Amino acid sequence: MGKKIVIDPVTRIEGHLKIEVEVKDGKVIDAHSTGALFRGFEIILKDRDPRDASQITQRICGVCPTSHASASVRTLDSAFKVKPPKNGRVLRNIILGSDYAWDHVLHFYHLAALDYVKGPGTEPFVPRYDGDYRLDEKTNQVAVNQYLEALKIKALGHELTAMWGGKGPIVQGMVVGGATAIPTREEISGYKERAGKVIDFIANTYLPTVYLIGGAYKDLFNVGAGCKNFLSYGVFPLDDKENAFLLKRGVYTNGKDYPLDVKKIKEFVSHSWYDDRTSGKNPAEGETIPLPGKKGAYSYIKAARYKGIPHEVGPLARMWITNPVLSKQANRFLGLDEARDVRMRDLGEKAFSIMGRHVARAEECYLVAKALGQWLDELTPGESGVIMKPVPKSGQGFGLSEAPRGSVGHWIKIDNSKIAKYQVIAPTTWNASPRDDKGQRGPIEEALIGTPVPDPENPFNVVRVIRSFDP
Amino acid sequence: MKITRRNFLKVCGGTAAACGLSNLGIPNVVQALEKALAGNPPVIWLQGSGCTGCSVSLLNSVEPDIAAVLLKIISLKFHSTVMAAQGELAMDKMYKVAEDYAGKFYLVVEGSIPTRERGRFCMVGERQGREITMLDATIEIGKKAAATLAFGTCASFGGIPAAKPNPTGAKPVTAIFKENGIKTPVVNVPGCPPHPDWMVGTIAYALTKGLPPVDEYKRPSLFFGSTIHDNCPYRKYYEEGKFAGSYGEEGCRLKLGCKGPETYADCWQRQWNNKVNWCVRNAICIGCVQPNFWDEMAPLYEQTTG
């Protein structure tokens, strides 16, 4: 038996999470992840007007409501049998893409960075762990200043979301059949002006700082590998038929690439506080029957699996599957000729790590921010982006999207024009899941195994692994 | 972190304007805020059955900007989403602040409080081997606070977790306080999420003048005094009987489902995200500041009022 370390609550995340690790000879040998909140969205959604789902499900996560809106309106599109017109598709891309621009910045600076950068000596920056802060005083001060600057960028980025989303957080501008706004030239130029400042910060501050921290904590490219299986639903359709996505759809399992087969997604509950009869179902058939205190269970999060195997979702998964050319910062960091194209997979095994996730997130942020400009040019000012359709008497469907923190899928069944069944698999259902019916650990649990913990009183690396997933 | 008088004037000028304090005359407000600031009033921010959306909205505060709010106006002793500490270090801090500043600190609650299963649908942390539920924390910290600010519709009225059939027995702060004989005054600042000005303005008012005047739902009348519909820029269309049948069409949004007539908030004037937009311009008001709006205003996209 090793020494047990309980971290409850894990702060600087969205929601309520507890992590318990067992440490032996300075390394983590076992880990348990506990989702500590149940609200019952799927139960509340039942018998309501299907269109209300795109409002209700946004309240699952106030950091990524737009992503749930996106998954939900796509679900309704499929059940209502409607395809948004071009402006609707492009506006949805822009509204969601705007969230990527500020959310990745928020995650790095305000949620993750305090595990590497020593904040000022006042609350909320103290108390904190003692020890492994490696930046020299001057660099550390620069990073603290960036923390404050990033707060402004976050608010500015949310202005981008609101331009056609209506407001942020929680948007009104995405509905079944498309997006509600009719963009004007004035709005487009207002968006451009704001986006310029946000993109400048991402390219010239956020991205280089991630590599700078990566340089100071090089060993963390070898910590937190996890299950090394990745899943991406694909996001930001580039044409109306959805033949291509900016961030691709696909699965990477045991070192091989596969196309996504939605039927292979199942949720298991033997270690979750839900009725065992609901285990092993595809969400189209899924149910939510909570049983707090169930014997042998330790989490309100179900264990989402693909082909019965744990898969990581999020920026690393998307970037690994998409494998785009990275910024020139990557060339500089790797000491490679700038004329050469460096792709995500050129990082090799180093990508499967704490720092690999931060690099993937920052590079993805830059990639999406650049695309925002192209999408603006695709908008037709003065043209509607929505097709209004009545609620069907019956129907079913699902909608897949990607939140900044990972894959989000919704499934619906409609009877008598009401919601008969609604199921959600959020990103954290993949990443922070507990063991499944076969006893396989979830991705965060798996990533914690082997993590060096030189000082159990200040288990820096444990929280670094957890936060690298942006749970 | 200390603040110079000049910076301070700038910070307060913004705050005062935002919450309508300016008619009191800036010098008085500044004096009062300075006095309150001498001790940088401690704040404990508890999150229950919510989504963090209220905190994310607070971060969009423009005047004063959020850095000024967090570092200069209040002393944020505990906030799970922003604090450096985690685990027992964080929980110890919360209980110590409640002890050291008993009767002096402000408690902010975001999210509702599930009561079924002895509160075990929402666990906020662990201390000395004891699992602490949101219900425990709300009672234990709430009874020691000078005042409690319930931020967001969940903390104010129960919100989405309390919507039918309320699977977890989620309740608002006022209900938990009443059931447990807690006398700490509560101000509700609803909204899903609330506008940052409503939150910062309520804090500023409390620090300078005491708790603000409230309506029958304990909402500051300053922000929730009249309906969206009565002030709506599209009101003239309603009078003319001109209704939008699709998004983007000219006309009153009532037939698209807009809940403006039953919704008391100043979004029509304040607008959102640095005045970039607001819900009704491209879509509808869903009535998110009203008690039980999820049930009473459903279906959201059908006309239910007016």
Side-chain angles (χ1 to χ4, degrees):
Chain A
M1 273 293 279
K3 183 186 163 61
K4 203 170 86 174
I5 301 174
V6 177
I7 301 171
D8 185 16
V10 176
T11 51
R12 284 182 276 123
I13 60 155
E14 196 290 300
H16 298 266
L17 183 72
K18 162 186 167 178
I19 296 283
E20 197 178 303
V21 293
E22 197 181 330
V23 177
K24 202 178 172 189
D25 302 327
K27 285 197 168 167
V28 173
I29 56 164
D30 202 4
H32 287 81
S33 160
T34 298
L37 170 66
F38 174 80
R39 292 162 298 182
F41 274 93
E42 291 145 333
I43 299 167
I44 292 163
L45 279 154
K46 205 170 173 300
D47 296 329
R48 288 175 189 263
D49 186 306
R51 292 168 297 180
D52 292 6
S54 65
Q55 279 300 322
I56 291 171
T57 57
Q58 288 194 62
R59 275 71 183 181
I60 292 172
C61 173
V63 183
C64 53
T66 313
S67 313
H68 279 286
S70 167
S72 189
V73 293
R74 290 170 64 80
T75 302
L76 297 174
D77 288 350
S78 81
F80 283 47
K81 298 193 177 15
V82 59
K83 259 286 180 231
K86 186 180 172 195
N87 256 15
R89 170 180 63 80
V90 177
L91 280 173
R92 282 183 183 179
N93 279 356
I94 293 173
I95 297 168
L96 180 59
S98 306
D99 263 31
Y100 273 64
W102 64 259
D103 190 20
H104 282 348
V105 169
L106 177 84
H107 174 263
F108 180 70
Y109 283 101
H110 308 115
L111 305 184
L114 295 177
D115 298 332
Y116 309 90
V117 176
K118 212 170 183 172
T122 52
E123 289 104 349
F125 306 104
V126 288
R128 61 185 163 223
Y129 285 163
D130 277 332
D132 192 21
Y133 299 102
R134 301 186 204 165
L135 303 183
D136 63 68
E137 209 175 310
K138 207 175 137 202
T139 314
N140 194 79
Q141 190 52 49
V142 171
V144 170
N145 292 343
Q146 285 182 14
Y147 177 103
L148 298 175
E149 199 188 340
L151 283 171
K152 292 197 172 117
I153 295 298
K154 187 264 159 191
L156 189 62
H158 237 147
E159 290 178 26
L160 298 177
T161 307
M163 183 65 76
W164 294 297
K167 71 168 193 310
I170 310 280
V171 295
Q172 300 298 114
M174 279 194 202
V175 291
V176 54
T180 62
I182 296 180
T184 65
R185 285 184 203 284
E186 195 190 352
E187 287 167 351
I188 292 172
S189 68
Y191 188 102
K192 252 185 203 154
E193 191 196 322
R194 289 174 177 83
K197 290 180 195 161
V198 175
I199 295 167
D200 178 62
F201 181 86
I202 293 165
N204 300 314
T205 303
Y206 171 33
L207 203 47
T209 302
V210 167
Y211 283 108
L212 182 127
I213 302 254
Y217 293 86
K218 264 204 161 101
D219 50 315
L220 301 186
F221 278 99
N222 303 316
V223 176
C227 60
K228 301 185 194 176
N229 300 320
F230 302 116
L231 177 133
S232 166
Y233 291 151
V235 65
F236 305 121
L238 299 177
D239 57 274
D240 291 342
K241 291 199 167 136
E242 302 202 346
N243 290 319
F245 294 90
L246 178 73
L247 298 165
K248 290 180 181 160
R249 173 177 289 177
V251 187
Y252 180 86
T253 312
N254 297 326
K256 280 193 186 149
D257 290 285
Y258 299 92
L260 175 79
D261 177 357
V262 181
K263 289 193 203 73
K264 290 180 176 155
I265 298 168
K266 285 183 177 150
E267 290 188 298
F268 298 88
V269 302
S270 71
H271 292 83
S272 311
W273 287 310
Y274 297 97
D275 193 320
D276 282 329
R277 285 172 299 178
T278 64
S279 201
K281 293 192 177 182
N282 178 268
E285 304 302 326
E287 278 178 274
T288 302
I289 306 171
L291 278 183
K294 187 182 90 178
K295 225 175 161 218
Y298 60 94
S299 182
Y300 283 119
I301 299 173
K302 295 178 181 177
R305 299 290 185 260
Y306 185 80
K307 284 191 284 192
I309 301 166
H311 283 71
E312 175 176 344
V313 299
L316 174 58
R318 288 189 294 257
M319 291 294 275
W320 189 261
I321 286 163
T322 306
N323 198 27
V325 175
L326 304 182
S327 71
K328 293 301 163 197
Q329 298 284 345
N331 298 52
R332 268 165 246 161
F333 182 74
L334 296 168
L336 296 170
D337 184 350
E338 293 203 11
R340 205 191 125 170
D341 279 350
V342 172
R343 290 179 180 272
M344 191 65 204
R345 292 196 185 184
D346 290 336
L347 290 176
E349 289 275 317
K350 297 241 179 291
F352 311 147
S353 66
I354 295 174
M355 279 302 152
R357 287 187 193 95
H358 286 300
V359 164
R361 187 172 290 113
E363 290 282 357
E364 179 184 80
C365 190
Y366 182 50
L367 189 78
V368 174
K370 282 188 296 183
L372 288 172
Q374 294 161 21
W375 295 330
L376 279 185
D377 295 337
E378 291 177 28
L379 284 176
T380 312
E383 202 167 285
S384 167
V386 68
I387 292 169
M388 304 280 282
K389 264 214 147 179
V391 180
K393 191 115 182 72
S394 65
Q396 55 185 344
F398 63 91
L400 308 176
S401 190
E402 289 280 328
R405 56 165 54 94
S407 309
V408 51
H410 292 193
W411 283 258
I412 197 171
K413 201 176 267 175
I414 299 171
D415 271 335
N416 294 320
S417 301
K418 300 259 189 255
I419 297 173
K421 191 192 281 285
Y422 204 100
Q423 287 282 307
V424 173
I425 302 189
T428 303
T429 322
W430 291 98
N431 286 341
S433 62
R435 282 151 174 77
D436 55 34
D437 295 14
K438 287 190 222 157
Q440 302 173 101
R441 296 184 189 96
I444 290 180
E445 292 180 338
E446 190 60 37
L448 283 164
I449 306 300
T451 298
V453 184
D455 173 9
E457 295 300 313
N458 298 284
F460 274 98
N461 289 334
V462 172
V463 294
R464 285 170 181 161
V465 169
I466 301 166
R467 292 197 183 102
S468 72
F469 283 85
D470 185 14
Chain B
M1 229 175 238
K2 283 291 152 209
I3 169 168
T4 66
R5 189 178 165 85
R6 207 172 131 263
N7 284 342
F8 185 73
L9 277 163
K10 257 163 74 183
V11 169
C12 300
T15 314
C19 65
L21 295 173
S22 48
N23 56 2
L24 300 170
I26 291 285
N28 291 339
V29 176
V30 171
Q31 216 175 18
L33 258 175
E34 268 182 339
K35 203 174 143 202
L37 272 165
N40 258 17
V43 173
I44 293 175
W45 187 302
L46 262 178
Q47 293 170 319
S49 273
C51 71
T52 318
C54 305
S55 292
V56 174
S57 183
L58 180 82
L59 290 180
N60 291 337
S61 182
V62 178
E63 281 197 17
D65 72 33
I66 188 59
V69 174
L70 294 182
L71 301 175
K72 294 168 181 172
I73 295 179
I74 59 171
S75 174
L76 192 60
K77 305 282 186 190
F78 182 96
H79 188 310
S80 186
T81 320
V82 296
M83 70 195 302
Q86 51 255 307
E88 195 132 351
L89 198 58
M91 293 306 280
D92 280 346
K93 178 76 185 178
M94 182 173 81
Y95 279 94
K96 191 169 182 319
V97 169
E99 204 59 55
D100 291 353
Y101 296 90
K104 293 185 185 126
F105 70 93
Y106 288 86
L107 171 65
V108 171
V109 177
E110 173 180 2
S112 55
I113 303 111
T115 58
R116 259 179 222 150
E117 300 286 338
R118 289 174 293 117
R120 292 194 74 245
F121 281 118
C122 180
M123 294 169 285
V124 294
E126 215 170 291
R127 193 176 182 231
Q128 293 154 7
R130 177 189 156 224
E131 198 174 74
I132 296 162
T133 65
M134 181 60 183
L135 181 61
D136 297 331
T138 307
I139 295 168
E140 290 163 18
I141 306 297
K143 66 183 172 198
K144 294 191 173 147
T148 297
L149 309 177
F151 280 177
T153 299
C154 296
S156 297
F157 306 127
I160 189 72
K164 269 181 211 158
N166 192 352
T168 62
K171 292 182 181 177
V173 175
T174 45
I176 300 298
F177 279 13
K178 195 175 171 200
E179 286 168 18
N180 291 278
I182 295 169
K183 303 275 187 272
T184 309
V186 178
V187 175
N188 289 331
V189 183
C192 193
H195 195 291
D197 289 358
W198 302 342
M199 295 185 273
V200 174
T202 302
I203 291 172
Y205 200 103
L207 296 186
T208 53
K209 300 194 68 192
L211 297 179
V214 293
D215 68 7
E216 59 184 312
Y217 301 119
K218 292 185 189 288
R219 300 181 294 198
S221 311
L222 214 49
F223 310 116
F224 304 98
S226 59
T227 69
I228 301 270
H229 188 61
D230 283 346
N231 301 286
C232 186
Y234 311 108
R235 173 69 185 231
K236 61 172 185 211
Y237 294 122
Y238 174 80
E239 307 295 347
E240 292 164 9
K242 188 172 180 183
F243 296 96
S246 175
Y247 300 103
E249 260 178 41
E250 249 184 280
C252 167
R253 279 74 164 140
L254 210 57
K255 294 196 170 158
L256 292 169
C258 188
K259 314 301 179 196
E262 292 177 42
T263 305
Y264 286 75
D266 64 6
C267 305
W268 56 275
Q269 176 186 40
R270 193 170 298 280
Q271 310 225 326
W272 282 73
N273 302 89
N274 203 14
K275 298 191 184 295
V276 161
N277 208 341
W278 69 302
C279 299
V280 180
R281 195 166 100 207
N282 304 128
I284 57 165
C285 167
I286 63 166
C288 75
V289 299
Q290 295 302 115
N292 305 320
F293 84 100
W294 289 111
D295 293 334
E296 285 173 13
M297 304 226 185
L300 302 176
Y301 294 97
E302 288 288 338
Q303 184 178 354
T304 54
T305 175

